Amino acid sequence: MRIDARELHYRELNRQIREAVAGGETRFELANVNGQRYIGDGIQGEKVQIDIEGVPGNDLGAFMDGPTVRVRGNAQDAVANTMNAGRIVVEGRAGDVLGYGMRGGELFVRGKVGYRVGIHMKAYRGRMPVVVAGGTAGDFLGEYMAGGMLVVLGLERQDGEPLIGDWCGTGMHGGVIYVRGEVDPRLVASKFASMGPAEEKDREDMRPHVEAFCETFSLDVEEALAGAFVRMAAISHRPYGAKYAV
Amino acid sequence: MGSSSPGREGIGRPGEGARASARPRRVPAYRRSAEFRWTHDAERCARCKRCVQQCGFKALSWEDGPVVDPDKCVGCHRCETFCPQEAIAVVPNVQHYRPHPLWGQAHRQNVYLQAETGGVLLTGMGNDLPYPILWDHLLLDACQVTNPSIDPLREPMELRSYLGRIPDKVEVKMKDGRPEPATEMGPVLQVETPIIFAAMSYGSISLNAQKAIAMAAAECGTLWNTGEGGLHEELKPYADRAFVQCASGRFGVHADYLNAGAAIEIKIGQGAKPGIGGHLPGEKVSAAVSETRMIPVGSDALSPAPQHDIYSIEDLKQLIFALKEATNYEKPVSVKIAAVHNVAAIASGIVRAGADMVYLDGFRGGTGAAPTIIRDHLGIPIEIAIAVVDQQLREEGIRNRASIVAAGGIRSSADAAKAIALGADAVAVGTAALLALGCTLCQKCYTGKCSWGITTQDPRLTRRLDPYVGSKRVANLVRGWSAELEEILGAMGVNAVESLRGSRERLRAVGLDKTTLEILGVKPAGVGA
């Protein structure tokens, strides 16, 4: 199903998608998307594929449970908010607060990602959310992270451009963050997250996700995995355990 | 009773009566006293050991008779209640330090405890400091002679209420010569009484406790609230009367959950702990709690204090509409905030952001766990919050766009009636519902050891609370309060709770200063119409 989103309010666009999904439609091509919010919001079903030409607005794939979304352009803020399952692929850059409270599925962003990415991501049973950013990430990466995996590849980086921003891993109590290259320890919240070199086991854990990422964007996986990675992980699953007088 | 009973030979220190059965305490370098004095009449004791079995805090053990560890007794009175011989009395332990008006007992004890631990003091339930209670300074009007009162026994009384958005105007179009509404009506919730239940998550309370409340809500035609703990499988049959909560931890929040509820609530804040998040300690995250919250067993369930995708009213609007989109605009959205200094402006923003309900939680609201210092010193009274929010929304001409639900220290139907007269559409009760289930306000919810099976996940304790029996008690409470509301309405000469809403003219105040009267919009007693 092809929908021309030009001058279409998000409410109307999303209504059409919801009704078509309820009617059994699984393939969507959205043309001329220009800032419409909430595309894919709450949509369930692994067979649903949404192809977006243009720039979708905030909360792309919020509460989404299964579909695959591909954005042929940049995405804005709050992509994959509280997403349960599915895959979101962004061919350009994406904004702030990506993957907030994400519980499962994958978010692949070809370029840079903004601030507050992966806050309170959590793993549960078979579900493990994965966010892979091809470029660099901003401040507050993986704050309050409770599970899942964040990978920052730093591809096509300018000389001297930092891989991640300040306050990485504040409040982190689960999950793992991998960054390709060297990270200034001052950027990492050492009270919550430990940082060290990624070992062979880490590369094994990361590999299938980076492979999927590279396949998606036709990139060379060996190039993406070349060089050393650092690993950030929670020091405690109970970061507030010792705070109280009992 | 204790002093009249002889100490049993060979246990404890001789000659101390009831204290004779006390186990020697670990003696620290400072003097921190037990909060309660557990006394036991050995002559009456049937030696059934029930007291030992009943104590959730393991304060009692049996050594040829009950032995108390005074440091562990929290004064919940479970043992006393279940002693078949009435041989037990738990009384506050009166200290004989030199009295001091500034340095009361609690302050001194807290300093001793913090000197030992260096930690943040924790507590449960609502603020227990003697701040003025404005409900007790407000009185309701009644009819005499010139405006006849109504007897609810012989005339119908309308408590049914609707929560949600009312359109700014209703347009009517003619179709085939007949009028029909042209305005799109949003979803509204129908409740048979303006008393709903406050958010208490599975995790903070036991499944049996939550089930009792959910069943009572179904029985009374009112609403309950999942809190931020997800929706347990066994509670799905009651979901059509539930607010499903979405807060900063997003625990258990997924598309099915959002669509299962009657309404969705975004929790920004809580009256007992404004501005701070929640930490369900890992030891309370059992297999079942983990499943409902959708997090691993044993890991801390941290709800960060703000939601880090909401830093502004615009961000809040984004989440409100993300939730509406996810549920096809079929569920009204409530936003819960703690009553704080700027509550009126914040509530206005919430309503303009598209919320269908604003849930105001006053500073006396309860909690499963909060730092004592936060619970006792942050926020403002709910009475003030209702008045200023209602006033602000009226002045802006947007009062119709959202219902106001008021909570945080509603103790009786009279408090509920006064809240409604001040401008609330409904009140929410948490503590009162827990009292109906047996809670004695010992304030130790955060320990997870509740002897009454309410705020614990220990199966040995939770099985004490029969959800069916509990639901009948909670439903009785709602019925009793509702019947009293009808009596109040009748005495005031109105036959519908709608006629009382925002009718501050029917309130009078005693003992309040001029500024407070102006803020409340209430006249002092003695001033006529």
Side-chain angles (χ1 to χ4, degrees), chain A residues 10-11 14-15 18 37-38 41-42 44 58-59 62-63 65 77-78 81-82 84 97 100-101 103 116 119-120 122-125 127 143-144 146 171 173 237-246, chain B residues 113 117 119-122 184 248-256 258 279 281-283 290-291 294-296 298-300 302 304 306-309 311 317-319 321-323 325-326 328-329 446:
Chain A
Y10 72 74
R11 197 166 164 177
N14 294 327
R15 187 188 61 77
R18 271 198 304 273
R37 290 180 172 187
Y38 314 119
D41 183 351
Q44 295 180 292
N58 294 354
D59 269 324
F63 309 106
D65 194 13
D77 297 343
N81 179 0
T82 324
N84 212 43
V97 211
Y100 185 101
R103 191 182 296 115
R116 293 184 263 154
I119 294 188
H120 216 308
K122 47 179 84 70
Y124 168 68
R125 288 197 167 167
R127 296 202 190 93
E143 266 193 331
Y144 297 101
H173 55 293
H237 295 289
R238 306 279 325 273
Y240 294 93
K243 189 175 170 183
Y244 302 111
V246 280
Chain B
L113 179 57
T117 63
V120 171
L121 300 167
L122 275 184
E184 187 191 347
S248 65
R250 302 286 156 86
F251 297 121
V253 177
H254 59 100
D256 291 338
L258 296 174
H279 311 146
E283 52 264 46
S290 127
E291 202 163 303
M294 304 174 91
I295 52 167
S299 85
D300 271 0
L302 302 185
Q307 313 209 14
H308 282 280
D309 56 346
Y311 289 175
K317 180 179 183 181
Q318 186 177 314
L319 182 60
F321 281 89
L323 293 166
E325 281 280 335
N328 200 24
Y329 296 87
Y446 64 95

Side-chain angles (χ1 to χ4, degrees), chain B residues 500-514:
Chain B
L500 181 62
R501 282 212 171 88
S503 186
R504 300 185 205 180
E505 183 53 38
R506 307 303 302 273
L507 287 169
R508 287 294 183 271
V510 286
L512 293 179
D513 62 85
K514 193 158 176 277

Side-chain angles (χ1 to χ4, degrees), chain B residues 234-498:
Chain B
E234 289 179 30
L235 292 182
K236 285 189 176 163
Y238 307 98
D240 63 342
R241 300 218 69 94
F243 282 88
V244 292
Q245 216 178 53
C246 173
S248 65
R250 302 286 156 86
F251 297 121
V253 177
H254 59 100
D256 291 338
Y257 166 82
L258 296 174
N259 280 296
I264 301 168
E265 183 164 275
I266 299 171
K267 181 191 176 185
I268 300 292
Q270 184 174 337
K273 41 182 173 178
I276 76 163
H279 311 146
L280 185 71
E283 52 264 46
K284 267 186 155 180
V285 183
S286 63
V289 170
S290 127
E291 202 163 303
T292 308
R293 295 200 175 212
M294 304 174 91
I295 52 167
V297 175
S299 85
D300 271 0
L302 302 185
S303 299
Q307 313 209 14
H308 282 280
D309 56 346
I310 304 177
Y311 289 175
S312 66
I313 292 291
E314 290 73 18
D315 289 349
L316 176 67
K317 180 179 183 181
Q318 186 177 314
L319 182 60
I320 290 172
F321 281 89
L323 293 166
K324 290 190 175 203
E325 281 280 335
T327 53
N328 200 24
Y329 296 87
E330 289 164 11
K331 313 286 180 186
V333 174
S334 163
V335 175
K336 174 177 176 177
I337 53 168
V340 292
H341 300 187
N342 206 20
V343 66
I346 296 162
S348 162
I350 289 169
V351 175
R352 289 176 183 281
D356 304 296
M357 284 167 270
V358 184
Y359 183 122
L360 304 171
D361 201 12
F363 86 122
R364 282 190 226 95
T367 176
T372 313
I373 215 77
I374 299 283
R375 184 196 72 171
D376 290 353
H377 300 282
L378 275 65
I380 65 168
I382 188 59
E383 301 92 323
I384 298 279
I386 299 168
V388 298
V389 169
D390 179 66
Q391 190 64 31
Q392 178 88 23
L393 298 183
R394 281 170 191 270
E395 283 170 10
E396 294 184 20
I398 56 172
R399 180 64 183 84
N400 59 297
R401 292 193 196 166
S403 299
I404 297 174
V405 177
I410 305 289
R411 303 159 298 171
S412 67
S413 58
D415 290 353
K418 292 169 188 176
I420 289 166
L422 280 174
D425 289 281
V427 296
V429 295
T431 301
L434 298 189
L435 291 173
L437 293 174
C439 168
T440 60
L441 271 177
C442 79
Q443 309 186 28
K444 297 290 176 185
C445 325
Y446 64 95
T447 63
K449 295 174 181 170
C450 176
S451 297
W452 299 81
I454 301 169
T455 58
T456 175
Q457 303 304 324
D458 180 344
R460 189 179 68 89
L461 301 172
T462 58
R463 70 175 182 225
R464 294 175 177 182
L465 205 170
D466 181 325
Y468 179 78
V469 174
S471 76
K472 293 296 165 195
R473 293 179 57 82
V474 176
N476 277 342
L477 174 75
V478 173
R479 267 195 292 273
W481 283 19
S482 299
E484 288 176 346
L485 278 179
E486 291 182 353
E487 295 286 341
I488 291 170
L489 293 177
M492 297 177 82
V494 295
N495 61 5
V497 69
E498 193 58 40

